[in-house]
Amino acid sequence: MEIQDLPLWEKLAVKRAPIAFDFEIIARCNNDCRHCYINLPAADLTAKAAELSTAEILNIAQQAVDMGTMWCLLTGGEPLLREDFAEIYLGLKRLGLLVSVFTNACLVTPALVDLFKKYPPRDIEVTVYGATRETYEAVTRRPGSWGAFVRGLDRLLDGGLKVRLKAMAVRSNVHEFAAISRFCRDRTKDYYRFDPVLHLRVDRDLERNREIKAERLSAAEVVALERADPGRFESLQRGCANGDLISPEFESQTGDYLFGCGAGVSSFAVGYDGTFHLCNSLWHPDTVYDLREGTLREAWEEWVPHVRSMRSSSPEFLDQCRRCPIINLCLWCPAHAALETGTLDGWVEYFCQVAHARAAAARSDEAEAATPLD
């Protein structure tokens, strides 16, 4: 890799004030989901010692507000596991931030519901791992987690709070994914999404990565799952038909910049240990800035252009991914490439398989729809 000056449009983009940021205030979690990219044990004292203090969190948030940021997502790990969660949440609200919360809902208490009702979050997004106790706990690997999840989710819904639901499609729950979708849609008309493609660990732990790979669905299974969801698959077909997702003109691209995404353009992420990231998946050591050693403004105005100026000289990347007309159907990006391969421009066979399967499915259905009936 080599660092070069950014094009003018990139310089203008990164000079804009950040609108939003993700704050991973904890990596520890009360569950032990084998597919998770970050979770560490709830009792991990080393991880706990590395976490930002309440004061450090609010200091970084104040810096963000001073730069014009309006929205913050609290995530983890499991953010409700922090004993000072209420203090952090109220502190962010007092700064005038819109605050969203990602949680598994297992630790939701009546007192927390009262807090959210008095000082409403922008939204709360809850992850659903199964529609039955057996499947849910096969994913979380925590006996009793199903009951805690149901109680917590019911408390949020009964409190009238804005709850969004999401699910990860993994080997351990795919057999009842239709039931998971029904479970979610029965409980929220506002929003439900699912993700069938997993990426690897930010700590690159070999054993945990083997577990994640074992939980991955095949490309054919990913497409079958997406076909089974009419809204999702129709959106995929529209995107392919109108050129948003399949772009043949990409085949003539010659640029060698790594970052063509929006990472660090209008938002950023902060890790539980105070590290600044252009997005919450980008943990490659060459792209991380320590906010305990510098300011958020320095990270935004100096480090972001430094990272976004990175170029590749890899023929594999330049001749395949950079020129790929279906890259928008793929999970590939520098962040995910680094998690998979250790390099920011590495090619990932699994992502490629999924992208080609999606493209083939969309094209096949489009062709069938265009074929006149006898």
Side-chain angles (χ1 to χ4, degrees):
M1 302 289 174
E2 58 181 12
I3 307 300
Q4 302 289 342
D5 290 335
L6 285 171
L8 177 60
W9 72 269
E10 282 275 23
K11 291 180 179 178
L12 292 173
V14 298
K15 286 296 183 182
R16 290 203 305 262
I19 297 170
F21 69 107
D22 293 356
F23 216 144
E24 288 182 338
I25 59 174
I26 187 172
R28 296 177 295 125
C29 187
N30 51 300
N31 289 331
D32 184 28
C33 301
R34 77 175 69 241
H35 67 273
C36 186
Y37 75 102
I38 193 172
N39 65 326
L40 295 171
D44 188 325
L45 297 181
T46 301
K48 186 174 183 179
E51 292 166 8
L52 292 168
S53 67
T54 310
E56 287 175 315
I57 288 171
L58 296 181
N59 176 266
I60 291 171
Q62 180 67 69
Q63 293 180 60
V65 169
D66 291 344
M67 292 171 62
T69 305
M70 297 180 290
W71 173 50
C72 173
L73 165 64
L74 289 180
T75 182
E78 173 49 54
L80 304 188
L81 188 60
R82 284 194 61 136
E83 297 173 355
D84 57 352
F85 174 82
E87 185 179 355
I88 292 169
Y89 179 80
L90 284 173
L92 296 174
K93 294 287 286 184
R94 291 188 181 107
L95 290 175
L97 285 164
L98 296 170
V99 182
S100 297
V101 181
F102 280 7
T103 177
N104 57 38
C106 293
L107 302 178
V108 172
T109 63
L112 188 62
V113 172
D114 290 341
L115 173 69
F116 286 152
K117 289 172 68 175
K118 188 173 182 179
Y119 304 100
R122 180 178 180 271
D123 52 62
I124 303 168
E125 189 165 291
V126 176
T127 307
V128 180
Y129 300 116
T132 63
R133 180 188 305 275
E134 292 74 19
T135 298
Y136 189 95
E137 294 185 2
V139 175
T140 66
R141 299 191 288 192
R142 283 288 183 266
S145 57
W146 165 257
F149 156 71
V150 171
R151 286 192 299 273
L153 178 59
D154 286 347
R155 284 168 177 164
L156 293 172
L157 295 173
D158 292 345
L161 296 164
K162 184 178 181 181
V163 177
R164 294 178 165 182
L165 299 178
K166 65 180 177 184
M168 294 299 301
V170 298
R171 181 68 52 203
S172 294
N173 70 14
V174 69
H175 63 282
E176 68 173 38
F177 211 78
I180 293 172
S181 296
R182 286 195 300 272
F183 178 97
C184 293
R185 291 192 167 107
D186 286 347
R187 286 162 177 77
T188 177
K189 296 179 181 179
D190 174 62
Y191 186 81
Y192 161 65
R193 66 182 176 93
F194 70 88
D195 191 345
V197 183
L198 308 178
H199 64 73
L200 299 185
R201 298 273 302 185
V202 298
D203 58 12
R204 307 204 69 215
D205 182 281
L206 293 177
E207 179 57 34
R208 296 303 300 265
N209 278 346
R210 279 192 286 270
E211 292 182 339
I212 291 174
K213 290 178 179 180
E215 287 292 334
R216 279 178 168 169
L217 305 182
S218 69
E221 289 172 316
V222 168
V223 169
L225 200 64
E226 292 175 332
R227 276 184 182 274
D229 187 297
R232 185 183 181 106
F233 197 69
E234 287 169 10
S235 178
L236 174 66
Q237 288 178 298
R238 286 195 302 272
C240 292
N242 64 23
D244 293 338
L245 298 176
I246 297 181
S247 306
E249 64 272 17
F250 283 9
E251 293 178 352
S252 62
Q253 287 190 136
T254 57
D256 58 358
Y257 283 98
L258 276 169
F259 290 87
C261 61
V265 173
S266 61
S267 62
F268 62 90
V270 180
Y272 71 101
D273 55 356
T275 49
F276 174 95
H277 310 260
L278 273 65
C279 73
N280 59 15
S281 296
L282 187 61
W283 285 71
H284 188 280
D286 291 347
T287 67
V288 173
Y289 182 92
D290 189 351
L291 291 175
R292 282 171 161 156
E293 299 295 330
T295 68
L296 183 60
R297 186 172 295 278
E298 289 169 347
W300 184 254
E301 295 183 354
E302 300 173 21
W303 188 250
V304 170
H306 167 83
V307 174
R308 288 194 63 95
S309 70
M310 289 181 170
R311 295 186 175 197
S312 172
S313 59
S314 166
E316 188 174 53
F317 167 75
L318 297 174
D319 294 339
Q320 290 189 131
C321 298
R322 176 53 72 216
R323 294 173 177 266
C324 182
I326 60 171
I327 195 169
N328 290 326
L329 291 172
C330 181
L331 193 65
W332 191 94
C333 69
H336 293 157
L339 297 179
E340 297 279 334
T341 70
T343 63
L344 291 161
D345 54 1
W347 174 71
V348 182
E349 182 179 12
Y350 175 68
F351 295 168
C352 200
Q353 290 171 346
V354 171
H356 280 280
R358 284 171 166 168
R363 286 166 171 156
S364 172
D365 277 34
E366 185 181 353
E368 289 179 11
T371 301
L373 296 175
D374 292 333

